[in-house]
Amino acid sequence: MERKKTKTVMVGNVPIGSGHPIAVQTMWDKPIQAYSIALLDEIGALHRLGCNIIRFSAQSDADIDILKKLVPDSPVPVVADIHFDFKLALKSIAAGVQKIRINPGNIGADWKVREIIHAASDQNCAIRIGLNGGSLPVQVRNNKNRSETMINLVEDYINLFLSESFENIIISLKDSDHEITYQVNKLFSERFTYPLHLGVTEAGPVIPSIIRSAYTLGRLLQEGIGDTIRVSITGPLKDEIYAGKEILKMMNLYESGVKLVSCPKCGRSGFDTHWFVSEMQDYFQTITNNISIAVMGCAVNGPGEASHADIGITGIGKEVFIFRKGEIVKKTTKQKCKIEFIEELQKVIDEKTNN
Ligand code: SF4
């Protein structure tokens, strides 16, 4: 599919826009209590899983002090999420965050937004103008056509930014109603060329969220709309990254990484695919080469059904088989199979890297 042409906006070293890969984002799901090695480790783990940008709520001077320390060490650009208090936005920008996310409607008077724009302009900080259908200004909250209302509002905000000659902006238009999210983003992309951050807000726990997000974001992405995404999940952050990557992979918009094929098991199974996938999934997500992996429950159907896979695993009784392109290359045991699989997978990675 052809992506809609949008301007490029740099968020730190990550370019956002139609000429660039679609970035996967998440948002830290707790107060940032302290700058610590543990915090950096967690961000590092998310980065290895495929997170391109991370956002934090900045609610106090203490939060901003932590962000200031975090920015130089973070492996991914850091975004400060600001509500109501324009001074916190100014302080976050001064702290060096690569992007702030604001809803100009709750910042207050135009002059406050202009001050934020001037500071962002001086520091080369990007700004996401983020509108959520559930938090529209009181005077328009009950308007019948929410999509049109959101478009009109965001147009007013964009005009304010343009009056300051500031175009370092990314737009998000989210709603907990997935159909409104679809319509409003489609309308926006017909009228503007600023990059869009896509997401269905308050999308629920893992399964409902992934279904709603895949359906809504999938349709927008298929129409070439969207430059960065977040799958909002009431659940672990790493699931947001997995889900975002899988949606992009499904749409052929993710250039590398593992394509995992695994069977659900049935009465015929001799190998516990549930156990193996849950043990290995995080590791698979860190692989950046284009590799297909099959985890199959039975040696009768497994290798044959997964003969296209670069590497696979199955078993019967006490024996576990590792296969490549349908041919068994190693016999092992359940106790040793994880390590032996990783060794064989490393060979596949090396071959792909050297080719
Ligand atoms: S691969 Fe084997 S174990 Fe898995 S679902 Fe198919 S028949 Fe059942």
Side-chain angles (χ1 to χ4, degrees), residues 237-249:
L237 295 193
K238 67 178 185 181
D239 285 347
E240 295 198 352
I241 307 300
Y242 287 172
K245 283 171 66 177
E246 288 301 323
I247 291 171
L248 294 177
K249 283 181 195 171

Side-chain angles (χ1 to χ4, degrees), residues 141-159:
R141 198 164 288 167
N142 294 322
N143 283 7
K144 280 220 171 82
N145 190 330
R146 197 145 78 232
S147 304
E148 273 296 336
T149 302
M150 288 171 81
I151 291 289
N152 292 339
L153 267 177
V154 82
E155 183 165 21
D156 288 348
Y157 299 149
I158 289 172
N159 285 337

Side-chain angles (χ1 to χ4, degrees), residues 71-299:
V71 167
D73 293 337
S74 172
V76 291
V78 172
V79 181
D81 192 80
I82 313 286
H83 286 276
F84 308 114
D85 187 343
F86 84 108
K87 287 188 180 154
L88 283 178
L90 298 179
K91 289 175 185 170
S92 298
I93 294 167
V97 299
Q98 287 96 344
K99 185 174 76 170
I100 60 164
R101 181 261 173 170
I102 58 168
N103 175 351
N106 72 29
I107 292 293
D110 281 4
W111 68 267
K112 294 180 180 175
V113 179
R114 288 185 199 278
E115 285 218 22
I116 295 173
I117 296 170
H118 297 158
S121 185
D122 290 346
Q123 296 289 326
N124 203 21
C125 175
I127 298 180
R128 166 148 72 97
I129 302 173
L131 265 72
N132 279 6
S135 56
L136 297 177
V138 199
Q139 58 274 25
V140 295
R141 198 164 288 167
N142 294 322
N143 283 7
K144 280 220 171 82
N145 190 330
R146 197 145 78 232
S147 304
E148 273 296 336
T149 302
M150 288 171 81
I151 291 289
N152 292 339
L153 267 177
V154 82
E155 183 165 21
D156 288 348
Y157 299 149
I158 289 172
N159 285 337
L160 177 60
F161 280 68
L162 292 184
S163 72
E164 297 291 342
S165 305
F166 188 91
E167 289 197 88
N168 210 9
I169 52 175
I170 295 167
I171 310 297
S172 67
L173 300 156
K174 300 186 181 183
D175 201 281
S176 54
D177 181 319
H178 62 80
E179 209 48 44
I180 289 178
T181 298
Y182 170 75
Q183 285 164 9
V184 72
N185 281 284
K186 193 168 157 58
L187 271 174
F188 182 86
S189 80
E190 286 164 5
R191 290 173 55 180
F192 299 94
T193 55
Y194 298 105
L196 268 171
H197 169 75
L198 300 183
V200 179
T201 193
E202 296 134 13
V206 176
I207 292 174
S209 169
I210 290 175
I211 290 170
R212 288 175 193 151
S213 302
Y215 177 66
T216 312
L217 274 50
R219 282 191 294 162
L220 289 165
L221 293 165
Q222 191 162 33
E223 294 177 38
I225 299 165
D227 303 290
T228 167
I229 64 170
R230 178 194 176 196
V231 178
S232 151
I233 293 177
T234 311
L237 295 193
K238 67 178 185 181
D239 285 347
E240 295 198 352
I241 307 300
Y242 287 172
K245 283 171 66 177
E246 288 301 323
I247 291 171
L248 294 177
K249 283 181 195 171
M250 184 179 69
M251 308 305 300
N252 290 324
L253 287 165
Y254 203 84
E255 285 168 3
S256 57
V258 161
K259 180 172 184 221
L260 179 62
V261 176
S262 60
C263 91
K265 284 205 308 177
C266 69
R268 207 173 282 134
S269 65
F271 183 67
D272 189 349
T273 55
H274 299 201
W275 164 77
F276 191 77
V277 166
S278 73
E279 291 282 315
M280 301 292 275
Q281 188 170 223
D282 283 2
Y283 167 61
F284 291 161
Q285 291 289 335
T286 64
I287 295 169
T288 52
N289 300 73
N290 223 321
I291 291 174
S292 52
I293 297 177
V295 181
M296 304 302 278
C298 69

Side-chain angles (χ1 to χ4, degrees), residues 319-322 328-333 340:
E319 287 191 307
V320 174
F321 307 105
I322 297 169
I328 291 172
V329 291
K330 199 174 261 184
K331 282 187 193 170
T332 181
T333 60
E340 300 239 24

